[in-house]
Amino acid sequence: MKALVCKEFGSPDILVMEDIAEPEVSKGMVKIQVHSVGLNFPDTLMIAGKYQFKPPFPFSPGMESAGIVTEVGEGVTKIKVGDRVMSNHGHGGFAEYVVAPEDGTYVIPDNMAFDKAAGFPVTYGTTYHALVDRGNLKKGEVLLVHGAAGGVGLNAVELGKALGATVIGTVGSDEKFDIVKEYGADHVINYSKESIKDRVKELTGGKGADVIYDPVGGDAFDQSMRCINWEGRLLVIGFASGRIAELPTNLALLKGCSVVGVFWGEFARRNPEKNRANFQAMLDMVERGELKPHVSMHFPLEQGADAMKALLSRKSTGKVIITVKE
C-alpha cells in the first residue's frame, strides 16, 4: 500500500511517500480502507519527536481517519466488514489502510461524509468529554473558548451552544470572526486588539465566565484566571501557544474556582463504555443535523507535508483533511 512515512524526526518536509506492507489485523482490532484522515497538532509534534508517544521508525502520522472496514480481528463484536466508520488509532492514518482498536472505532451515520468523519474523533471526543464530563457545563452558563476558530475551539463553540451556553470565543484576527459566529458564538474577542479579561468582564456584568475552554495556554491562561466567575471551571486542554502557564494559587482561592485537567485519550482508555456513549450522543446529534463538522482545507496524501505546514501557519479554521481515496 502507499503511505506517507516518517523515518527521522524533523519538520514536515522529512515525510516521504513509499510502498509498504499492509498492516495485519489482530485480536480486538479492525482493518480500515482509509478514505480521509484528520490532521491534528499532535501529528506535527510526533514527527518532530516532541510528542509524549514516539512510535518506532518508520511510521506514518495520522491519529484519526474514516473509511470502510475490510477485516475484523478475533473478539470484535461492535464493528463488521463493510461498515462506514471513523476511528482514533494513535498513528498510521497517512496510508491506504490502517488497523484500529474496536474501542476507538465508531459506525458513522449515512448522512456523514468521510471527510467530516475523519476530523471528528480527536477534537469532538476531547471537547465533549471536557464540557460535559469535566466542566459540567450547564444550560444558561457562560462558556469562554480560546482559539475558537481552530480544530478543538470551533467544536467547543458548536457543542457549547448546542448544550445551551452563552458562548464567547477568542481569535487572533478579524478574518476568523465570521466562522466563529457561524458556529454559534454570541460574542467574539480579537485578543490582538483588546483585553480578554476586560472584555469578558464587560460582557458578563463583571461576573466572568463559568467555564473556560483553554487549548492555548500561556497568556490566554493568565487572562482566564482573571476573568473566571465564582466557582468557575478552567479546562486545561493544551498549550498551542508554546508556553505552559503557571497557576497563581491565590487567584484560585479568591475565585473559589477549579482548574481541571482534560486528558481525553486516557479517559477513553480507562472508561471505554462511557466514551462510546459520549460518541453515540454526538453521532445522534450529527444525524439530526445539530453538529456540522467544519473542514477548511483538503490535501491529497502526497501533499501531507503541505497540509501540516498549513496547520502550523494557523491559517486554517476547523479541520485540515488528507484525502486518501475519493
Side-chain angles (χ1 to χ4, degrees):
M1 68 174 184
K2 295 187 184 305
L4 195 61
V5 176
C6 177
K7 295 182 172 182
E8 58 181 323
F9 292 135
S11 69
D13 290 324
I14 55 91
L15 296 173
V16 292
M17 283 290 294
E18 288 196 347
D19 287 320
I20 64 172
E22 291 183 15
E24 295 183 0
V25 71
S26 56
K27 184 177 180 179
M29 306 291 281
V30 302
K31 185 174 179 178
I32 301 166
Q33 182 182 38
V34 178
H35 283 241
S36 298
V37 184
L39 186 59
N40 293 279
F41 185 65
D43 290 315
T44 68
L45 296 177
M46 192 179 295
I47 67 164
K50 297 178 180 178
Y51 194 55
Q52 58 257 39
F53 172 65
K54 295 179 176 62
F57 295 125
F59 68 88
S60 292
M63 308 178 76
E64 58 182 352
S65 63
I68 296 174
V69 176
T70 60
E71 191 178 348
V72 299
E74 179 186 348
V76 172
T77 59
K78 300 181 182 73
I79 307 294
K80 65 182 186 299
V81 172
D83 280 346
R84 298 174 71 251
V85 297
M86 62 185 185
S87 183
N88 56 281
H89 36 67
H91 68 287
F94 282 37
E96 291 181 313
Y97 291 89
V98 69
V99 291
E102 179 187 26
D103 281 342
T105 303
Y106 317 92
V107 177
I108 60 176
D110 292 339
N111 67 337
M112 193 177 200
F114 284 127
D115 64 335
K116 306 289 189 182
F120 196 97
V122 172
T123 57
Y124 278 93
T126 296
T127 302
Y128 191 93
H129 171 55
L131 297 182
V132 176
D133 300 328
R134 303 295 284 156
N136 192 26
L137 180 66
K138 302 180 185 69
K139 186 175 181 179
E141 288 191 315
V142 174
L143 170 66
L144 173 62
V145 178
H146 293 305
V152 289
L154 204 59
N155 294 168
V157 170
E158 184 184 27
L159 274 168
K161 198 62 185 175
L163 293 168
T166 295
V167 181
I168 304 171
T170 71
V171 296
S173 67
D174 290 346
E175 289 76 19
K176 295 180 178 179
F177 266 58
D178 289 347
I179 188 66
V180 177
K181 281 278 194 179
E182 180 185 334
Y183 271 73
D186 298 279
H187 310 281
V188 184
I189 300 169
N190 182 345
Y191 58 79
S192 67
K193 292 183 175 180
E194 55 187 338
S195 161
I196 293 172
K197 178 196 72 171
D198 293 345
R199 185 69 176 129
V200 170
K201 287 287 192 71
E202 180 185 338
L203 291 169
T204 59
K207 293 180 179 179
D210 299 296
V211 177
I212 302 177
Y213 184 95
D214 181 17
V216 177
D219 293 344
F221 181 93
D222 296 343
Q223 294 265 317
S224 295
M225 284 302 298
R226 287 164 172 79
C227 64
I228 191 167
N229 198 3
W230 175 254
E231 295 188 342
R233 289 84 75 199
L234 201 171
L235 305 173
V236 180
I237 312 297
F239 317 100
S241 70
R243 178 170 72 86
I244 296 175
E246 294 184 359
L247 172 63
T249 51
N250 64 313
L251 291 180
L253 183 153
L254 292 171
K255 302 275 190 173
C257 68
S258 303
V259 177
V260 186
V262 179
F263 189 178
W264 167 68
E266 184 64 12
F267 159 77
R269 187 185 72 79
R270 290 172 179 261
N271 301 279
E273 292 307 316
K274 177 66 169 69
N275 181 61
R276 185 167 288 278
N278 285 356
F279 268 84
Q280 191 57 57
M282 288 187 287
L283 289 171
D284 288 346
M285 294 170 80
V286 171
E287 195 162 23
R288 295 192 299 265
E290 295 170 8
L291 294 181
K292 299 177 181 179
H294 176 65
V295 176
S296 62
M297 296 182 179
H298 294 81
F299 291 84
L301 179 60
E302 59 269 21
Q303 292 178 19
D306 292 333
M308 285 191 171
K309 291 175 186 177
L311 182 69
L312 289 169
S313 73
R314 298 190 182 182
K315 293 180 180 177
S316 61
T317 56
K319 294 294 291 198
V320 175
I321 297 295
I322 308 294
T323 301
V324 179
K325 180 179 174 60
E326 296 287 353

